[in-house]
Amino acid sequence: MTTTTTGTVTSADGTTISYRETGQGPGLVIVHGAMQTSHNQLELAEALATDFTCYLPDRRGRGGSGPVGPDHGLAREVDDLGAVLRATGARYAVGVSSGAIITLHTALTAPDSLAKAVLFEPPLGLGGTDLSGSLARFDREIAEGRIPAALVTGMRAARLGPPLFNALPRRVQEWLTGLMLKSQDGAAGEGPTFRELAPTQRQDIQLVAEAPADFAAYGSVEVETLLLGGTRSQGYLRAALAELERVMPRARRVVMDGLDHGATQNTSQRGRPERVAEEIRRFLKG
């Protein structure tokens, strides 16, 4: 187990962003995805810690970071990542799921801040779907305390549920989600529960909604980029990586056999962090 310390930076709008730090070597920022905090990729960072100093920020509204604020959106999250990069001197970033959208847009709008980027399955390519209705429904369900319903709304909006789960009627999805929340509530574990993180899912729906529907928007990204995914992930996530590889001039794609969308998480969360770290290390040190 490597030593982990904590630190904070101040983003452009004055919001405090906290982060964990572990390892030694060139700086690498790991940006987590939906329903996560910095804790979820801690084992991924530990697997990389012999070669890189890893910084794991808590995105705003989570962990030790400040509140979301009234003007939340993709631009604010890009500001947050930029603040961590500047304060730490890190030149590499790994983005996971919605965190990969943030990392991609950092490469697009502030290319000088990154030497290399790794994108793990950004939820792009939803065909210009209007998610405003999903956001309104999510807000209503959270306000009413209907957490299972809100989580199902978020999963359906971003198409992130497992195929078998997606095939079920919505009422069954909500029932199963409620059972999962209850099992978490009664178990001792590290990090916040899904029930505690549920309100933050709105931020991730918003990121998906703001991301351009046309992949051609990313054709001007010049940062050298590794596109990572798994063979067991949802088809549209695999298709998004293929499209990004097609339009981005300095991107290459690696699809890891047998892995799914949760591969970057800790092993207790059914992740395969060591396997993902192998590909990241090979790319960054190559």
Side-chain angles (χ1 to χ4, degrees), residues 4 63 68 70 75 115 125 128 130 142 159 175 207 241 248 254 258 262 270:
T4 301
V68 174
D130 183 3
I142 287 290
R159 303 183 192 174
W175 177 70
L207 294 184
L241 292 178
M248 292 170 60
V254 173
R270 301 181 181 179

Side-chain angles (χ1 to χ4, degrees), residues 23 49 53 69 74-75 90 100 116 158 163 176 192 232 239 258 268:
T53 302
L74 185 52
K116 290 185 177 182
L176 290 173
R232 295 181 59 193
S268 63

Side-chain angles (χ1 to χ4, degrees), residues 51-251:
D51 297 289
F52 304 97
T53 302
C54 297
Y55 303 95
L56 300 98
D58 286 318
R59 288 170 49 203
R60 56 175 63 203
R62 300 163 171 89
S65 293
V68 174
D71 299 320
H72 174 264
L74 185 52
R76 295 287 76 74
E77 301 246 23
V78 168
D79 285 345
D80 297 347
L81 174 53
V84 177
L85 290 168
R86 286 190 299 275
T88 62
R91 297 279 290 151
Y92 301 143
V94 175
V96 176
S97 190
S98 53
I101 295 179
I102 299 166
T103 304
L104 175 58
H105 277 259
T106 299
L108 179 66
T109 60
D112 292 342
S113 66
L114 289 172
K116 290 185 177 182
V118 179
L119 308 180
F120 184 87
E121 297 189 341
L124 299 169
L126 295 180
T129 304
D130 183 3
L131 296 178
S132 58
S134 296
L135 285 168
R137 178 170 186 164
F138 180 87
D139 289 343
R140 183 169 64 253
E141 289 164 343
I142 287 290
E144 294 170 352
R146 299 169 57 209
I147 303 301
L151 291 179
V152 168
T153 295
M155 282 190 289
R156 289 166 71 104
R159 303 183 192 174
L160 290 180
L164 180 60
F165 183 85
N166 291 339
L168 297 171
R170 184 181 174 107
R171 65 180 181 279
V172 178
Q173 293 176 336
E174 293 183 12
W175 177 70
L176 290 173
T177 302
L179 290 179
M180 179 272 294
L181 292 175
K182 287 180 181 178
S183 69
Q184 266 199 342
D185 291 341
E190 298 180 32
T193 65
F194 280 176
R195 190 183 301 278
E196 292 167 330
L197 287 171
T200 68
Q201 196 177 45
R202 187 189 204 284
Q203 297 161 243
D204 299 281
I205 301 172
Q206 189 172 349
L207 294 184
V208 174
E210 284 190 43
D214 186 352
F215 284 95
Y218 303 112
S220 61
V221 174
E222 293 288 345
V223 175
E224 188 177 356
T225 302
L226 174 65
L227 307 168
L228 271 185
T231 58
R232 295 181 59 193
S233 295
Q234 291 85 341
Y236 92 93
L237 293 171
R238 299 195 304 272
L241 292 178
E243 282 296 303
L244 289 173
E245 183 182 37
R246 183 181 65 83
V247 302
M248 292 170 60
R250 302 187 67 198

Side-chain angles (χ1 to χ4, degrees), residues 1-4 42 46:
M1 182 70 69
T2 57
T3 300
T4 301
L42 189 55
E46 290 172 348

